[in-house]
Amino acid sequence: MDENKVKNRLELRSVEMKDLDQFNELLRYVFQVTNRDLQRSGYKEGELARSKMPVLRESEVFGWFDGDKLVSQLSIYPRRVNVHGKIYEMAGLTGVGTYPEYANLGLMSDLIKIALIKMRESNQWISYLYPYSIPFYRKKGWEIISEHMTFNIKDTQLPKHVDAPGFVERLDVDNPDVIRVYDSFSRKNHGAMIRSEAAWEEYWRWENEEERTAAVYYDAKDEPTGLLFYWVADDIFHVKEMIYLNQEARHGLWNFISAHYSMVNVVQGNIYSNDPIAFLLEDSQITETIEPYYMARIVDVQKFLENYPFDDTSKPFHFIVEDPIAEWNNGIFGILWNDDGNVQISNDKIGKPVKLNIQTLTALLMSYRNPSYFDEIERLETDAETLKILNQIIPDQQPYFSDYF
């Protein structure tokens, strides 16, 4: 069949609540979500559709329709993230999918271009996504900015008890102190999502009720400073996520885990930053794995730079940016500071150039790796003096991101 003829009969429009069943059906097909998967996660018949209603209601969803049939779609999920202490409106790209018989028509490319325009109109200067194909999204301007590490510790390798003046209490996952600890953590840690009530619902969406236990560490002043989400099954202590505001809380939470010594053979867990746990253990011969996790892309370079919290001031320089999709990002972005130390962006060739594409600029400013690394692997082009400036002014805290949407 003539591909142009097929595309010409399609209509691009917003996906609405009346399209909910088709929205869910397309997601289940593309991501191969089976009834068994749903049952394992505690869903009963019809509950998945109801659980996705808030997503559809809250997001901007666009799709291609063949008559009344939804054949390709994506969702823009409004969220907020911490970028080196500055809270940015973030556009989460999710619910992306096309039925295979409509592939190779450029439908998703059209949807992504529209999505970027909508993000820009909504003052969402950065977008996150979980990639089903890293090469595909790299071509669209996204780049890896975070990692997911897993660890496996034998019971004999658990850390020894370290005196901590506080105590741990097991709580429901929606307890106010649980929310409070995470909120404090997310506002101190670069890359993290500032979770709304809807974001918390999404965080727990695919976890069975039996896998939802929180342990909170309280210091000597009864202040909650550490948080552990976990469950125990089949002699394994599973760590979904562990966060702490200081080292005392870290010791307190590990004391709590080690107290399960007689109950488990192994501790398995997740880490969402480049922070190997082995170094912190007396017996460091443990198994750790690392894989790329979330990707991001700067939606509007000008606005992102105007709000970016550079670590310091410096001599002026300019970025020369290439963007394959968002043409407004192609060009020159001069960086200079006024007498008050506030950054100003111009379209003039101020100082020396830094030439790079939108993917590298995103990973650079999100501090996935330091500027010298990107220079070494030839992902940016500049002189030695300007490279030194970049290392000086870009914060060096790597992103932490533990959510999924």
Side-chain angles (χ1 to χ4, degrees):
M1 185 177 292
D2 189 331
E3 291 182 350
N4 289 328
K5 189 174 182 180
V6 173
K7 189 169 183 179
N8 287 339
R9 76 173 187 237
L10 302 182
E11 178 188 5
L12 177 59
R13 62 175 174 84
S14 295
V15 179
E16 302 172 354
M17 290 304 300
K18 63 184 178 65
D19 306 307
L20 177 62
D21 288 343
Q22 292 200 71
F23 173 81
N24 285 317
E25 185 179 347
L26 179 50
L27 285 181
R28 288 185 61 178
Y29 185 91
V30 170
F31 295 105
Q32 303 177 49
V33 180
T34 66
N35 288 329
R36 183 179 180 181
D37 294 329
L38 298 179
Q39 291 170 4
R40 182 187 176 281
S41 298
Y43 285 96
K44 297 179 181 178
E45 186 67 30
E47 284 189 352
L48 178 65
R50 288 193 295 276
S51 74
K52 285 298 182 184
M53 284 180 67
V55 178
L56 186 55
R57 186 181 296 116
E58 188 178 355
S59 302
E60 281 196 273
V61 186
F62 301 94
W64 284 99
F65 287 81
D66 190 350
D68 293 329
K69 181 182 178 183
L70 177 62
V71 300
S72 181
Q73 68 184 22
L74 63 71
S75 306
I76 304 171
Y77 210 27
R79 288 292 175 261
R80 300 167 72 219
V81 293
N82 175 347
V83 178
H84 293 302
K86 181 84 172 185
I87 307 304
Y88 277 72
E89 298 297 322
M90 184 271 285
L93 200 64
T94 185
V96 177
T98 302
Y99 282 120
E101 61 268 33
Y102 293 89
N104 301 315
L105 298 179
L107 303 184
M108 191 51 63
S109 293
D110 292 341
L111 288 174
I112 286 176
K113 179 62 178 290
I114 289 172
L116 288 170
I117 292 171
K118 292 293 183 181
M119 293 173 192
R120 192 182 186 208
E121 291 174 350
S122 300
N123 299 327
Q124 297 164 323
W125 313 133
I126 188 166
S127 171
Y128 281 23
L129 62 80
Y130 180 79
Y132 68 83
S133 168
I134 290 175
F136 174 82
Y137 284 112
R138 274 184 167 154
K139 291 178 182 178
K140 305 303 180 185
W142 276 262
E143 186 52 274
I144 299 164
I145 56 100
S146 77
E147 294 169 343
H148 175 205
M149 298 182 65
T150 60
F151 61 85
N152 191 302
I153 303 175
K154 299 175 184 177
D155 56 352
T156 56
Q157 297 173 308
L158 285 169
K160 296 178 180 178
H161 182 89
V162 176
D163 287 340
F167 63 96
V168 171
E169 185 172 347
R170 289 185 294 122
L171 301 171
D172 293 333
V173 295
D174 58 355
N175 185 279
D177 281 349
V178 170
I179 309 301
R180 180 180 169 190
V181 174
Y182 176 79
D183 192 60
S184 295
F185 176 86
S186 66
R187 294 177 186 277
K188 293 180 178 179
N189 283 265
H190 163 59
M193 182 184 289
I194 310 299
R195 288 184 194 148
S196 62
E197 183 177 346
W200 275 108
E201 291 177 2
E202 190 71 18
Y203 179 81
W204 291 112
R205 191 172 305 285
W206 293 99
E207 300 290 352
N208 198 304
E209 291 288 345
E210 296 177 354
E211 299 173 359
R212 303 184 186 189
T213 306
V216 173
Y217 177 81
Y218 293 86
D219 64 17
K221 297 180 181 179
D222 291 340
E223 287 293 318
T225 57
L227 173 62
L228 170 69
F229 292 130
Y230 76 98
W231 75 97
V232 180
D234 300 323
D235 300 322
I236 300 173
F237 190 106
H238 298 269
V239 176
K240 176 175 172 61
E241 184 175 11
M242 179 165 56
I243 61 175
Y244 38 85
L245 305 184
N246 53 47
Q247 294 304 302
E248 177 192 317
R250 178 175 71 84
H251 290 307
L253 291 174
W254 273 108
N255 287 345
F256 174 78
I257 294 173
S258 296
H260 292 76
Y261 174 85
S262 63
M263 299 170 53
V264 301
N265 298 322
V266 175
V267 175
Q268 296 177 350
N270 301 296
I271 301 174
Y272 294 93
S273 64
N274 186 22
D275 183 22
I277 197 172
F279 186 76
L280 301 174
L281 299 175
E282 182 177 349
D283 183 351
S284 296
Q285 291 183 322
I286 67 171
T287 302
E288 290 182 302
T289 64
I290 184 170
E291 60 181 331
Y293 191 45
Y294 259 68
M295 302 181 79
R297 83 128 47 225
I298 295 173
V299 174
D300 188 307
V301 171
Q302 174 98 16
K303 293 296 185 181
F304 189 86
L305 288 172
E306 286 176 355
N307 290 274
Y308 189 79
F310 288 102
D311 251 358
D312 201 352
T313 60
S314 74
K315 292 175 60 177
F317 65 94
H318 64 277
F319 288 115
I320 303 175
V321 181
E322 294 181 359
D323 191 319
I325 306 292
E327 66 274 1
W328 55 84
N329 288 333
N330 285 306
I332 294 167
F333 300 88
I335 312 292
L336 67 158
W337 286 262
N338 61 24
D339 293 339
D340 296 326
N342 297 318
V343 70
Q344 294 180 308
I345 311 300
S346 83
N347 298 122
D348 300 323
K349 294 182 178 181
I350 303 169
K352 299 292 182 66
V354 180
K355 188 175 181 180
L356 70 184
N357 59 28
I358 191 68
Q359 299 99 301
T360 304
L361 181 63
T362 300
L364 178 74
L365 295 180
M366 290 298 290
S367 302
Y368 178 63
R369 295 290 186 268
N370 64 40
S372 295
Y373 174 81
F374 291 111
D375 176 69
E376 182 179 345
I377 64 171
E378 301 180 341
R379 286 285 296 267
L380 62 79
E381 182 181 332
T382 193
D383 64 287
E385 181 185 7
T386 308
L387 181 62
K388 186 176 181 180
I389 288 172
L390 292 176
N391 280 302
Q392 172 189 337
I393 66 174
I394 295 176
D396 63 0
Q397 184 184 18
Q398 292 186 325
Y400 179 100
F401 190 78
S402 59
D403 286 77
Y404 177 83
F405 50 78

